[in-house]
Amino acid sequence: MAAPQAAVYKKNEKILALHGPLLYEAKVLKVRNSSDGPQYFVHYNGWKKRWDEWIQSDRMRPYNAENLKFQEELKKKGQKGTKRKRDNEEEESYPAVGMKVNLPGELKKRLIDDWENVNRHNRVMQIPVKPSVKEILEYYKDAQESKEKDLTLAKLTENIVDALKIYFEHSLGTLLLYRVERDGYLQEVKEKGINPIEVYGVYHLLRLFVKLPSLVDNTGLSEEQKTAIGKEISGLCGYIVKHKTHLFRGEYKVTSRKNV
């Protein structure tokens, strides 16, 4: 058996941690080992305790002059409108006007169909779904990185994608499932210790997009930061529409559970 990896950061150490598109000052409260390596329970300075969370070193940076400079670069990128050509969109300048999620009409229709399947016809999506939420987000990130020449903007996309994974994991069981789906989630996912981003697919990702503004409003993010996330969601929606044939491949099955 391989020896456990040594922790990079120590308890009570001041760090910079990625949350959403930006770096924030944080403090390591606890350290533990897991099968995936050391994990750190961090508190973001100035945030409520409910946002304390376990993260790994890939979302952490030492608190030093170099990373403080990078923190400022990310902040500036989020504060100004940027010209980015998105899938299914014309190239245009985006002003910082706060976070908005406007789903394309085609995706709204698919969400309505999804609601009717579950709540009217008692049919639930079979899991695991391919491609999964994790795979969709990775496909999108790779596509953006391949055409983004600005390394800071590419990093911004990567950070937001990582944040969406976290939001999905934290909100699926409480916000993204209809009542008839919850027993299946408990029995087939949570009790087995399966990461939900690896078994749920595009429909549940779209449900997250609808809930995201209210989730983000409960964080300490500025309006500029919310704008950056909203723009990334718009790009992701365009990507989903463009690749709909590949992404909407899940199948529903009739369930005996009742939506009561």
Side-chain angles (χ1 to χ4, degrees):
M1 180 181 295
Q5 299 178 33
V8 179
Y9 302 94
K10 299 178 181 179
K11 182 179 178 180
N12 295 324
E13 184 173 352
K14 186 178 182 179
I15 62 162
L16 293 171
L18 287 165
H19 193 289
L22 300 177
L23 281 166
Y24 297 92
E25 291 186 12
K27 181 179 180 181
V28 178
L29 301 181
K30 302 176 187 177
V31 181
R32 71 182 182 188
N33 287 317
S34 73
S35 58
D36 295 325
Q39 295 181 334
Y40 308 87
F41 192 68
V42 300
H43 171 72
Y44 299 94
N45 294 352
W47 292 36
K48 294 181 179 180
K49 289 184 178 180
R50 64 181 175 182
W51 290 102
D52 295 357
E53 61 176 338
W54 288 100
I55 63 175
Q56 291 184 287
S57 59
D58 59 350
R59 287 178 52 199
M60 303 167 71
R61 302 289 186 274
Y63 191 90
N64 57 33
E66 180 182 356
N67 288 322
L68 286 171
K69 181 179 179 181
F70 182 53
Q71 180 190 38
E72 287 302 312
E73 290 175 356
L74 289 177
K75 188 181 297 184
K76 289 177 182 178
K77 290 293 183 181
Q79 287 175 342
K80 67 180 182 178
T82 60
K83 285 189 175 182
R84 304 183 66 177
K85 189 173 182 180
R86 300 290 192 173
D87 291 321
N88 207 37
E89 291 184 345
E90 295 295 325
E91 188 173 10
E92 62 180 300
S93 178
Y94 294 89
V97 292
M99 182 180 178
K100 293 183 179 180
V101 175
N102 295 315
L103 294 183
E106 181 172 349
L107 298 186
K108 289 180 181 178
K109 183 180 183 303
R110 288 185 181 269
L111 272 179
I112 292 171
D113 292 343
D114 175 56
W115 184 91
E116 290 184 343
N117 267 308
V118 177
N119 295 287
R120 289 188 177 177
H121 305 301
N122 225 44
R123 302 170 68 214
V124 299
M125 184 64 63
Q126 296 187 65
I127 57 174
V129 180
K130 289 292 183 180
S132 66
V133 168
K134 181 179 180 180
E135 290 169 329
I136 294 169
L137 293 176
E138 289 298 320
Y139 294 156
Y140 169 73
K141 182 183 72 173
D142 291 344
Q144 292 302 108
E145 288 179 350
S146 67
K147 63 182 182 181
E148 183 57 76
K149 296 180 180 180
D150 188 320
L151 295 180
T152 303
L153 289 177
K155 187 64 178 179
L156 192 64
T157 293
E158 180 182 344
N159 293 344
I160 292 176
V161 165
D162 289 342
L164 289 175
K165 294 176 183 177
I166 295 168
Y167 279 122
F168 190 87
E169 292 171 9
H170 287 190
S171 60
L172 177 72
T174 55
L175 293 176
L176 306 184
L177 296 176
Y178 298 120
R179 194 168 300 173
V180 72
E181 298 173 304
R182 291 175 188 165
D183 286 346
Y185 161 72
L186 291 173
Q187 296 171 10
E188 300 171 33
V189 179
K190 190 171 183 179
E191 290 180 0
K192 295 181 180 179
I194 297 174
N195 191 327
I197 68 171
E198 296 178 352
V199 293
Y200 287 90
V202 65
Y203 283 105
H204 290 83
L205 181 59
L206 292 180
R207 294 184 198 176
L208 173 66
F209 293 169
V210 174
K211 298 287 187 180
L212 201 57
S214 60
L215 291 173
V216 170
D217 282 344
N218 290 323
T219 69
L221 296 177
S222 69
E223 290 303 308
E224 291 81 9
Q225 295 157 12
K226 294 174 186 177
T227 300
I229 297 175
K231 289 187 293 185
E232 206 68 59
I233 297 300
S234 295
L236 187 45
C237 285
Y239 178 86
I240 290 173
V241 170
K242 183 176 180 180
H243 300 278
K244 58 187 176 184
T245 303
H246 174 62
L247 301 182
F248 288 95
R249 295 166 61 185
E251 296 184 0
Y252 292 91
K253 65 177 180 180
V254 176
T255 177
S256 59
R257 303 182 183 101
K258 299 297 181 182
N259 197 14
V260 295

